[in-house]
Amino acid sequence: MGLRRLKIIGNGDAFGSGNRFHTCFYLESDKTKLLVDCGATAIHHLLESGINLNDIDLIVISHFHGDHFGGIPFFMLNSYFLTGRTKPLTIVGPEQCETRVEGLTEALYPGLNKKFREMDLTYLEYSKTIRFSDLEIRALPVVHSPPSNPHGIRVESGNNTFSYSGDTEWTDSLYDLSLNSDIFICECNYYESKVSGHLNYKILKDKLKKVKSRRVLLTHMGEEMINSDQVAHETTVQDQEYDF
Ligand SMILES: [Zn+2]
């Protein structure tokens, strides 16, 4: 019982550095299939990866920036018009999740929220631990642009734990978030530049010495990170699958 499989659908930063797709991680447990973040480019690569959108039960959003939740309206478009989705879809995110997703949809496809609401959609917010089928999902606030309501995410199932920093500067809450994880995915946008709301490798590599996770993968890397030959930690690889 537990998490079975992680596939990296997108691992890029907001700028498309290295021609990488925006953040989207596909996770599978014994009973549930979910996306952790669904960035603006997710739909292309989900389809290319052969993932059936109708199989996905849950979309978990770390924060309200386009490279992390901008793909949801396209997910809905495909589900409503092409596949006629009847399976329930639950979207989990920070406070005002439904308003934010519907606001984005209204901006991109005015009037379509009414149709999308015909699907079996449920929105849940991170006020407490969320129990969904065989999953427990917790979110901790992190340090990024406040209007995006940034969170790190922890998904547990059976004996397995997946954790993800979201976009953030270093905060000690990442120690709790990642404690005893099988896989901890941590953003590392820069190698040495200090940019508010993001991590750089020079700071992160020391902090990681105290992180208690079986495996750490760096993600959301900009050109500085992609081009550095000084990175000693494992990085996410698009299309790669990881077992638990
Ligand atoms: Zn981002």
Side-chain angles (χ1 to χ4, degrees), residues 197-240:
H198 287 289
L199 272 158
N200 75 43
Y201 187 65
K202 287 201 156 173
I203 290 173
L204 181 60
K205 68 179 179 184
D206 286 330
K207 304 293 186 187
L208 287 178
K209 290 174 188 160
K210 286 206 282 175
V211 162
K212 291 187 171 53
S213 172
R214 191 165 58 77
R215 191 169 188 174
V216 176
L217 303 168
L218 308 185
T219 197
H220 207 279
M221 301 192 300
E223 299 290 349
E224 230 180 67
M225 273 297 283
I226 292 169
N227 296 327
S228 170
D229 58 4
Q230 302 296 312
V231 177
H233 287 79
E234 191 178 8
T235 59
T236 52
V237 176
Q238 192 174 288
D239 291 328
Q240 191 154 317

mmCIF file of all heavy atoms in Angstrom, residues 197-240:
data_model
loop_
_atom_site.group_PDB
_atom_site.id
_atom_site.type_symbol
_atom_site.label_atom_id
_atom_site.label_comp_id
_atom_site.label_asym_id
_atom_site.label_seq_id
_atom_site.Cartn_x
_atom_site.Cartn_y
_atom_site.Cartn_z
ATOM 1 N N GLY A 197 12.053 35.244 -3.102
ATOM 2 C CA GLY A 197 11.021 34.235 -3.366
ATOM 3 C C GLY A 197 11.528 32.968 -4.018
ATOM 4 O O GLY A 197 10.733 32.066 -4.316
ATOM 5 N N HIS A 198 12.848 32.875 -4.247
ATOM 6 C CA HIS A 198 13.406 31.655 -4.844
ATOM 7 C C HIS A 198 14.694 31.247 -4.128
ATOM 8 O O HIS A 198 15.326 32.050 -3.446
ATOM 9 C CB HIS A 198 13.707 31.861 -6.336
ATOM 10 C CG HIS A 198 12.471 31.916 -7.183
ATOM 11 N ND1 HIS A 198 11.693 30.818 -7.443
ATOM 12 C CD2 HIS A 198 11.889 32.963 -7.825
ATOM 13 C CE1 HIS A 198 10.666 31.170 -8.208
ATOM 14 N NE2 HIS A 198 10.764 32.467 -8.449
ATOM 15 N N LEU A 199 15.076 30.000 -4.351
ATOM 16 C CA LEU A 199 16.302 29.479 -3.756
ATOM 17 C C LEU A 199 17.455 29.513 -4.740
ATOM 18 O O LEU A 199 17.260 29.414 -5.948
ATOM 19 C CB LEU A 199 16.072 28.025 -3.345
ATOM 20 C CG LEU A 199 15.511 27.830 -1.941
ATOM 21 C CD1 LEU A 199 14.838 26.486 -1.803
ATOM 22 C CD2 LEU A 199 16.626 27.985 -0.919
ATOM 23 N N ASN A 200 18.660 29.637 -4.193
ATOM 24 C CA ASN A 200 19.837 29.384 -5.028
ATOM 25 C C ASN A 200 20.633 28.221 -4.431
ATOM 26 O O ASN A 200 20.510 27.887 -3.249
ATOM 27 C CB ASN A 200 20.678 30.639 -5.258
ATOM 28 C CG ASN A 200 21.502 31.057 -4.065
ATOM 29 O OD1 ASN A 200 22.120 30.228 -3.396
ATOM 30 N ND2 ASN A 200 21.494 32.353 -3.783
ATOM 31 N N TYR A 201 21.421 27.583 -5.295
ATOM 32 C CA TYR A 201 22.104 26.345 -4.911
ATOM 33 C C TYR A 201 23.114 26.571 -3.800
ATOM 34 O O TYR A 201 23.299 25.717 -2.943
ATOM 35 C CB TYR A 201 22.777 25.743 -6.140
ATOM 36 C CG TYR A 201 23.374 24.379 -5.878
ATOM 37 C CD1 TYR A 201 22.568 23.296 -5.571
ATOM 38 C CD2 TYR A 201 24.753 24.172 -5.942
ATOM 39 C CE1 TYR A 201 23.104 22.037 -5.319
ATOM 40 C CE2 TYR A 201 25.297 22.930 -5.697
ATOM 41 C CZ TYR A 201 24.473 21.855 -5.380
ATOM 42 O OH TYR A 201 25.009 20.617 -5.139
ATOM 43 N N LYS A 202 23.763 27.738 -3.810
ATOM 44 C CA LYS A 202 24.782 28.001 -2.786
ATOM 45 C C LYS A 202 24.174 27.978 -1.396
ATOM 46 O O LYS A 202 24.801 27.517 -0.450
ATOM 47 C CB LYS A 202 25.489 29.328 -3.075
ATOM 48 C CG LYS A 202 26.435 29.212 -4.256
ATOM 49 C CD LYS A 202 27.484 30.277 -4.254
ATOM 50 C CE LYS A 202 28.694 29.817 -5.049
ATOM 51 N NZ LYS A 202 29.680 30.877 -5.229
ATOM 52 N N ILE A 203 22.970 28.486 -1.262
ATOM 53 C CA ILE A 203 22.279 28.443 0.033
ATOM 54 C C ILE A 203 21.711 27.045 0.270
ATOM 55 O O ILE A 203 21.891 26.448 1.331
ATOM 56 C CB ILE A 203 21.146 29.501 0.069
ATOM 57 C CG1 ILE A 203 21.764 30.900 0.119
ATOM 58 C CG2 ILE A 203 20.187 29.259 1.236
ATOM 59 C CD1 ILE A 203 20.784 32.038 -0.019
ATOM 60 N N LEU A 204 21.072 26.494 -0.740
ATOM 61 C CA LEU A 204 20.348 25.237 -0.558
ATOM 62 C C LEU A 204 21.255 24.059 -0.209
ATOM 63 O O LEU A 204 20.905 23.213 0.618
ATOM 64 C CB LEU A 204 19.532 24.929 -1.824
ATOM 65 C CG LEU A 204 18.687 23.655 -1.779
ATOM 66 C CD1 LEU A 204 17.645 23.695 -0.649
ATOM 67 C CD2 LEU A 204 17.977 23.428 -3.118
ATOM 68 N N LYS A 205 22.426 23.993 -0.837
ATOM 69 C CA LYS A 205 23.242 22.778 -0.636
ATOM 70 C C LYS A 205 23.642 22.595 0.829
ATOM 71 O O LYS A 205 23.741 21.462 1.299
ATOM 72 C CB LYS A 205 24.469 22.762 -1.564
ATOM 73 C CG LYS A 205 25.499 23.790 -1.275
ATOM 74 C CD LYS A 205 26.661 23.635 -2.249
ATOM 75 C CE LYS A 205 27.690 24.700 -1.943
ATOM 76 N NZ LYS A 205 28.812 24.701 -2.869
ATOM 77 N N ASP A 206 23.840 23.678 1.564
ATOM 78 C CA ASP A 206 24.135 23.547 2.999
ATOM 79 C C ASP A 206 22.892 23.122 3.788
ATOM 80 O O ASP A 206 22.972 22.293 4.681
ATOM 81 C CB ASP A 206 24.679 24.855 3.555
ATOM 82 C CG ASP A 206 26.116 25.086 3.099
ATOM 83 O OD1 ASP A 206 26.828 24.072 2.899
ATOM 84 O OD2 ASP A 206 26.508 26.252 2.918
ATOM 85 N N LYS A 207 21.765 23.711 3.439
ATOM 86 C CA LYS A 207 20.512 23.363 4.137
ATOM 87 C C LYS A 207 20.170 21.893 3.917
ATOM 88 O O LYS A 207 19.631 21.235 4.815
ATOM 89 C CB LYS A 207 19.350 24.227 3.623
ATOM 90 C CG LYS A 207 19.571 25.727 3.727
ATOM 91 C CD LYS A 207 19.616 26.176 5.166
ATOM 92 C CE LYS A 207 19.691 27.692 5.261
ATOM 93 N NZ LYS A 207 19.895 28.130 6.655
ATOM 94 N N LEU A 208 20.466 21.377 2.738
ATOM 95 C CA LEU A 208 20.096 19.993 2.416
ATOM 96 C C LEU A 208 20.822 18.968 3.293
ATOM 97 O O LEU A 208 20.362 17.844 3.433
ATOM 98 C CB LEU A 208 20.360 19.697 0.936
ATOM 99 C CG LEU A 208 19.387 20.348 -0.061
ATOM 100 C CD1 LEU A 208 19.791 20.019 -1.501
ATOM 101 C CD2 LEU A 208 17.935 19.930 0.187
ATOM 102 N N LYS A 209 21.941 19.391 3.890
ATOM 103 C CA LYS A 209 22.665 18.458 4.768
ATOM 104 C C LYS A 209 21.791 18.010 5.930
ATOM 105 O O LYS A 209 21.980 16.933 6.477
ATOM 106 C CB LYS A 209 23.932 19.121 5.320
ATOM 107 C CG LYS A 209 24.998 19.326 4.257
ATOM 108 C CD LYS A 209 26.169 20.118 4.806
ATOM 109 C CE LYS A 209 27.140 20.474 3.683
ATOM 110 N NZ LYS A 209 28.022 21.595 4.025
ATOM 111 N N LYS A 210 20.849 18.857 6.326
ATOM 112 C CA LYS A 210 19.988 18.510 7.464
ATOM 113 C C LYS A 210 18.597 18.027 7.043
ATOM 114 O O LYS A 210 17.741 17.759 7.883
ATOM 115 C CB LYS A 210 19.856 19.714 8.403
ATOM 116 C CG LYS A 210 21.129 19.954 9.218
ATOM 117 C CD LYS A 210 20.833 20.666 10.529
ATOM 118 C CE LYS A 210 20.616 22.151 10.300
ATOM 119 N NZ LYS A 210 20.218 22.882 11.509
ATOM 120 N N VAL A 211 18.372 17.954 5.738
ATOM 121 C CA VAL A 211 17.076 17.460 5.258
ATOM 122 C C VAL A 211 17.051 15.941 5.381
ATOM 123 O O VAL A 211 17.977 15.262 4.939
ATOM 124 C CB VAL A 211 16.846 17.891 3.784
ATOM 125 C CG1 VAL A 211 15.764 17.053 3.125
ATOM 126 C CG2 VAL A 211 16.478 19.370 3.714
ATOM 127 N N LYS A 212 16.000 15.432 5.996
ATOM 128 C CA LYS A 212 15.898 13.981 6.178
ATOM 129 C C LYS A 212 14.910 13.389 5.179
ATOM 130 O O LYS A 212 13.761 13.117 5.498
ATOM 131 C CB LYS A 212 15.487 13.669 7.620
ATOM 132 C CG LYS A 212 16.576 14.005 8.628
ATOM 133 C CD LYS A 212 16.233 13.536 10.017
ATOM 134 C CE LYS A 212 17.401 13.673 10.982
ATOM 135 N NZ LYS A 212 17.991 15.025 11.026
ATOM 136 N N SER A 213 15.388 13.250 3.961
ATOM 137 C CA SER A 213 14.595 12.622 2.910
ATOM 138 C C SER A 213 15.492 11.606 2.220
ATOM 139 O O SER A 213 16.686 11.842 2.046
ATOM 140 C CB SER A 213 14.122 13.675 1.908
ATOM 141 O OG SER A 213 13.508 13.058 0.796
ATOM 142 N N ARG A 214 14.905 10.474 1.852
ATOM 143 C CA ARG A 214 15.707 9.412 1.230
ATOM 144 C C ARG A 214 16.313 9.888 -0.095
ATOM 145 O O ARG A 214 17.432 9.548 -0.434
ATOM 146 C CB ARG A 214 14.807 8.189 1.013
ATOM 147 C CG ARG A 214 15.536 6.935 0.628
ATOM 148 C CD ARG A 214 14.632 5.711 0.794
ATOM 149 N NE ARG A 214 13.411 5.767 0.014
ATOM 150 C CZ ARG A 214 13.341 5.531 -1.295
ATOM 151 N NH1 ARG A 214 14.415 5.222 -1.979
ATOM 152 N NH2 ARG A 214 12.179 5.589 -1.922
ATOM 153 N N ARG A 215 15.561 10.673 -0.834
ATOM 154 C CA ARG A 215 16.049 11.141 -2.126
ATOM 155 C C ARG A 215 15.620 12.597 -2.313
ATOM 156 O O ARG A 215 14.471 12.938 -2.024
ATOM 157 C CB ARG A 215 15.420 10.274 -3.220
ATOM 158 C CG ARG A 215 16.018 10.474 -4.587
ATOM 159 C CD ARG A 215 15.504 9.370 -5.508
ATOM 160 N NE ARG A 215 16.187 9.408 -6.787
ATOM 161 C CZ ARG A 215 16.028 8.504 -7.735
ATOM 162 N NH1 ARG A 215 15.205 7.491 -7.550
ATOM 163 N NH2 ARG A 215 16.679 8.599 -8.887
ATOM 164 N N VAL A 216 16.528 13.426 -2.778
ATOM 165 C CA VAL A 216 16.220 14.837 -3.031
ATOM 166 C C VAL A 216 16.446 15.105 -4.516
ATOM 167 O O VAL A 216 17.467 14.708 -5.081
ATOM 168 C CB VAL A 216 17.124 15.765 -2.192
ATOM 169 C CG1 VAL A 216 16.868 17.227 -2.547
ATOM 170 C CG2 VAL A 216 16.909 15.538 -0.700
ATOM 171 N N LEU A 217 15.485 15.763 -5.135
ATOM 172 C CA LEU A 217 15.609 16.139 -6.542
ATOM 173 C C LEU A 217 15.412 17.643 -6.651
ATOM 174 O O LEU A 217 14.436 18.184 -6.132
ATOM 175 C CB LEU A 217 14.521 15.448 -7.380
ATOM 176 C CG LEU A 217 14.442 13.917 -7.342
ATOM 177 C CD1 LEU A 217 13.134 13.439 -8.001
ATOM 178 C CD2 LEU A 217 15.636 13.324 -8.072
ATOM 179 N N LEU A 218 16.314 18.311 -7.351
ATOM 180 C CA LEU A 218 16.171 19.760 -7.545
ATOM 181 C C LEU A 218 15.349 20.018 -8.801
ATOM 182 O O LEU A 218 15.428 19.279 -9.785
ATOM 183 C CB LEU A 218 17.543 20.416 -7.683
ATOM 184 C CG LEU A 218 18.560 20.101 -6.585
ATOM 185 C CD1 LEU A 218 19.831 20.925 -6.791
ATOM 186 C CD2 LEU A 218 17.970 20.362 -5.205
ATOM 187 N N THR A 219 14.573 21.096 -8.766
ATOM 188 C CA THR A 219 13.701 21.391 -9.909
ATOM 189 C C THR A 219 13.576 22.902 -10.120
ATOM 190 O O THR A 219 14.206 23.691 -9.411
ATOM 191 C CB THR A 219 12.307 20.743 -9.675
ATOM 192 O OG1 THR A 219 11.604 20.681 -10.911
ATOM 193 C CG2 THR A 219 11.476 21.522 -8.656
ATOM 194 N N HIS A 220 12.781 23.312 -11.144
ATOM 195 C CA HIS A 220 12.495 24.739 -11.386
ATOM 196 C C HIS A 220 13.795 25.506 -11.643
ATOM 197 O O HIS A 220 14.002 26.610 -11.153
ATOM 198 C CB HIS A 220 11.747 25.301 -10.168
ATOM 199 C CG HIS A 220 10.857 26.479 -10.462
ATOM 200 N ND1 HIS A 220 11.333 27.762 -10.566
ATOM 201 C CD2 HIS A 220 9.524 26.568 -10.650
ATOM 202 C CE1 HIS A 220 10.325 28.589 -10.790
ATOM 203 N NE2 HIS A 220 9.215 27.897 -10.854
ATOM 204 N N MET A 221 14.669 24.903 -12.430
ATOM 205 C CA MET A 221 16.003 25.474 -12.602
ATOM 206 C C MET A 221 16.060 26.456 -13.778
ATOM 207 O O MET A 221 15.576 26.168 -14.863
ATOM 208 C CB MET A 221 17.015 24.345 -12.827
ATOM 209 C CG MET A 221 17.038 23.355 -11.661
ATOM 210 S SD MET A 221 18.434 22.239 -11.749
ATOM 211 C CE MET A 221 18.124 21.459 -13.298
ATOM 212 N N GLY A 222 16.702 27.594 -13.529
ATOM 213 C CA GLY A 222 16.947 28.570 -14.572
ATOM 214 C C GLY A 222 18.267 28.270 -15.277
ATOM 215 O O GLY A 222 18.954 27.295 -14.960
ATOM 216 N N GLU A 223 18.638 29.145 -16.213
ATOM 217 C CA GLU A 223 19.836 28.916 -17.043
ATOM 218 C C GLU A 223 21.099 28.769 -16.188
ATOM 219 O O GLU A 223 21.960 27.952 -16.477
ATOM 220 C CB GLU A 223 20.028 30.081 -18.034
ATOM 221 C CG GLU A 223 18.876 30.275 -19.016
ATOM 222 C CD GLU A 223 18.767 29.172 -20.068
ATOM 223 O OE1 GLU A 223 19.697 28.356 -20.187
ATOM 224 O OE2 GLU A 223 17.725 29.130 -20.759
ATOM 225 N N GLU A 224 21.190 29.593 -15.120
ATOM 226 C CA GLU A 224 22.371 29.545 -14.255
ATOM 227 C C GLU A 224 22.601 28.142 -13.684
ATOM 228 O O GLU A 224 23.728 27.656 -13.630
ATOM 229 C CB GLU A 224 22.094 30.482 -13.070
ATOM 230 C CG GLU A 224 23.147 31.478 -12.749
ATOM 231 C CD GLU A 224 22.703 32.309 -11.544
ATOM 232 O OE1 GLU A 224 22.600 31.789 -10.417
ATOM 233 O OE2 GLU A 224 22.456 33.501 -11.758
ATOM 234 N N MET A 225 21.523 27.513 -13.278
ATOM 235 C CA MET A 225 21.601 26.156 -12.729
ATOM 236 C C MET A 225 21.841 25.130 -13.832
ATOM 237 O O MET A 225 22.663 24.226 -13.687
ATOM 238 C CB MET A 225 20.287 25.812 -12.010
ATOM 239 C CG MET A 225 20.212 26.223 -10.586
ATOM 240 S SD MET A 225 21.437 25.389 -9.558
ATOM 241 C CE MET A 225 20.687 23.764 -9.361
ATOM 242 N N ILE A 226 21.109 25.298 -14.919
ATOM 243 C CA ILE A 226 21.216 24.324 -16.018
ATOM 244 C C ILE A 226 22.646 24.298 -16.562
ATOM 245 O O ILE A 226 23.179 23.242 -16.896
ATOM 246 C CB ILE A 226 20.200 24.679 -17.143
ATOM 247 C CG1 ILE A 226 18.763 24.458 -16.638
ATOM 248 C CG2 ILE A 226 20.462 23.866 -18.410
ATOM 249 C CD1 ILE A 226 17.683 25.024 -17.542
ATOM 250 N N ASN A 227 23.274 25.477 -16.612
ATOM 251 C CA ASN A 227 24.614 25.558 -17.211
ATOM 252 C C ASN A 227 25.757 25.339 -16.222
ATOM 253 O O ASN A 227 26.914 25.284 -16.621
ATOM 254 C CB ASN A 227 24.792 26.925 -17.883
ATOM 255 C CG ASN A 227 23.821 27.105 -19.039
ATOM 256 O OD1 ASN A 227 23.488 26.124 -19.712
ATOM 257 N ND2 ASN A 227 23.343 28.317 -19.253
ATOM 258 N N SER A 228 25.433 25.196 -14.936
ATOM 259 C CA SER A 228 26.508 25.031 -13.952
ATOM 260 C C SER A 228 27.034 23.594 -13.947
ATOM 261 O O SER A 228 26.266 22.635 -14.062
ATOM 262 C CB SER A 228 25.980 25.364 -12.552
ATOM 263 O OG SER A 228 26.944 24.990 -11.599
ATOM 264 N N ASP A 229 28.354 23.463 -13.810
ATOM 265 C CA ASP A 229 28.906 22.106 -13.650
ATOM 266 C C ASP A 229 29.282 21.858 -12.184
ATOM 267 O O ASP A 229 30.014 20.937 -11.863
ATOM 268 C CB ASP A 229 30.101 21.884 -14.592
ATOM 269 C CG ASP A 229 31.212 22.892 -14.366
ATOM 270 O OD1 ASP A 229 31.094 23.723 -13.414
ATOM 271 O OD2 ASP A 229 32.202 22.870 -15.125
ATOM 272 N N GLN A 230 28.768 22.707 -11.297
ATOM 273 C CA GLN A 230 29.096 22.608 -9.871
ATOM 274 C C GLN A 230 27.950 22.017 -9.046
ATOM 275 O O GLN A 230 27.996 22.044 -7.816
ATOM 276 C CB GLN A 230 29.404 24.015 -9.305
ATOM 277 C CG GLN A 230 30.535 24.737 -9.999
ATOM 278 C CD GLN A 230 31.871 24.017 -9.824
ATOM 279 O OE1 GLN A 230 32.226 23.645 -8.712
ATOM 280 N NE2 GLN A 230 32.566 23.765 -10.923
ATOM 281 N N VAL A 231 26.914 21.530 -9.726
ATOM 282 C CA VAL A 231 25.755 21.020 -8.992
ATOM 283 C C VAL A 231 25.961 19.543 -8.681
ATOM 284 O O VAL A 231 26.011 18.703 -9.584
ATOM 285 C CB VAL A 231 24.454 21.235 -9.802
ATOM 286 C CG1 VAL A 231 23.260 20.625 -9.063
ATOM 287 C CG2 VAL A 231 24.224 22.726 -10.031
ATOM 288 N N ALA A 232 26.083 19.236 -7.389
ATOM 289 C CA ALA A 232 26.390 17.862 -6.983
ATOM 290 C C ALA A 232 25.135 17.055 -6.676
ATOM 291 O O ALA A 232 25.205 15.846 -6.484
ATOM 292 C CB ALA A 232 27.290 17.884 -5.755
ATOM 293 N N HIS A 233 23.978 17.709 -6.606
ATOM 294 C CA HIS A 233 22.744 17.010 -6.254
ATOM 295 C C HIS A 233 21.980 16.563 -7.502
ATOM 296 O O HIS A 233 22.118 17.142 -8.574
ATOM 297 C CB HIS A 233 21.862 17.911 -5.387
ATOM 298 C CG HIS A 233 22.383 18.071 -3.994
ATOM 299 N ND1 HIS A 233 23.409 18.930 -3.697
ATOM 300 C CD2 HIS A 233 22.042 17.458 -2.827
ATOM 301 C CE1 HIS A 233 23.682 18.860 -2.389
ATOM 302 N NE2 HIS A 233 22.870 17.970 -1.849
ATOM 303 N N GLU A 234 21.156 15.566 -7.290
ATOM 304 C CA GLU A 234 20.344 15.032 -8.384
ATOM 305 C C GLU A 234 19.270 16.049 -8.777
ATOM 306 O O GLU A 234 18.699 16.730 -7.914
ATOM 307 C CB GLU A 234 19.683 13.724 -7.922
ATOM 308 C CG GLU A 234 19.032 12.950 -9.035
ATOM 309 C CD GLU A 234 18.419 11.621 -8.581
ATOM 310 O OE1 GLU A 234 18.356 11.357 -7.359
ATOM 311 O OE2 GLU A 234 17.992 10.868 -9.456
ATOM 312 N N THR A 235 18.983 16.146 -10.054
ATOM 313 C CA THR A 235 17.956 17.087 -10.521
ATOM 314 C C THR A 235 16.827 16.311 -11.203
ATOM 315 O O THR A 235 17.033 15.202 -11.688
ATOM 316 C CB THR A 235 18.547 18.110 -11.520
ATOM 317 O OG1 THR A 235 19.103 17.397 -12.631
ATOM 318 C CG2 THR A 235 19.639 18.934 -10.865
ATOM 319 N N THR A 236 15.639 16.913 -11.231
ATOM 320 C CA THR A 236 14.522 16.271 -11.930
ATOM 321 C C THR A 236 14.848 16.193 -13.415
ATOM 322 O O THR A 236 15.471 17.093 -13.983
ATOM 323 C CB THR A 236 13.215 17.077 -11.778
ATOM 324 O OG1 THR A 236 13.455 18.438 -12.164
ATOM 325 C CG2 THR A 236 12.684 17.033 -10.355
ATOM 326 N N VAL A 237 14.393 15.126 -14.048
ATOM 327 C CA VAL A 237 14.577 14.964 -15.488
ATOM 328 C C VAL A 237 13.199 14.777 -16.099
ATOM 329 O O VAL A 237 12.436 13.901 -15.667
ATOM 330 C CB VAL A 237 15.462 13.725 -15.788
ATOM 331 C CG1 VAL A 237 15.577 13.498 -17.292
ATOM 332 C CG2 VAL A 237 16.837 13.902 -15.157
ATOM 333 N N GLN A 238 12.881 15.629 -17.075
ATOM 334 C CA GLN A 238 11.580 15.518 -17.702
ATOM 335 C C GLN A 238 11.390 14.132 -18.304
ATOM 336 O O GLN A 238 12.329 13.579 -18.886
ATOM 337 C CB GLN A 238 11.460 16.577 -18.794
ATOM 338 C CG GLN A 238 10.035 16.717 -19.294
ATOM 339 C CD GLN A 238 9.930 17.862 -20.254
ATOM 340 O OE1 GLN A 238 9.989 19.023 -19.861
ATOM 341 N NE2 GLN A 238 9.801 17.553 -21.510
ATOM 342 N N ASP A 239 10.208 13.593 -18.141
ATOM 343 C CA ASP A 239 9.824 12.268 -18.649
ATOM 344 C C ASP A 239 10.323 11.117 -17.773
ATOM 345 O O ASP A 239 9.913 9.989 -17.974
ATOM 346 C CB ASP A 239 10.331 11.978 -20.073
ATOM 347 C CG ASP A 239 9.637 12.839 -21.094
ATOM 348 O OD1 ASP A 239 8.469 13.160 -20.880
ATOM 349 O OD2 ASP A 239 10.297 13.199 -22.092
ATOM 350 N N GLN A 240 11.228 11.425 -16.863
ATOM 351 C CA GLN A 240 11.765 10.322 -16.049
ATOM 352 C C GLN A 240 10.721 9.851 -15.030
ATOM 353 O O GLN A 240 9.930 10.634 -14.527
ATOM 354 C CB GLN A 240 13.034 10.749 -15.327
ATOM 355 C CG GLN A 240 13.747 9.569 -14.693
ATOM 356 C CD GLN A 240 15.244 9.834 -14.551
ATOM 357 O OE1 GLN A 240 15.894 10.353 -15.451
ATOM 358 N NE2 GLN A 240 15.786 9.488 -13.402
#
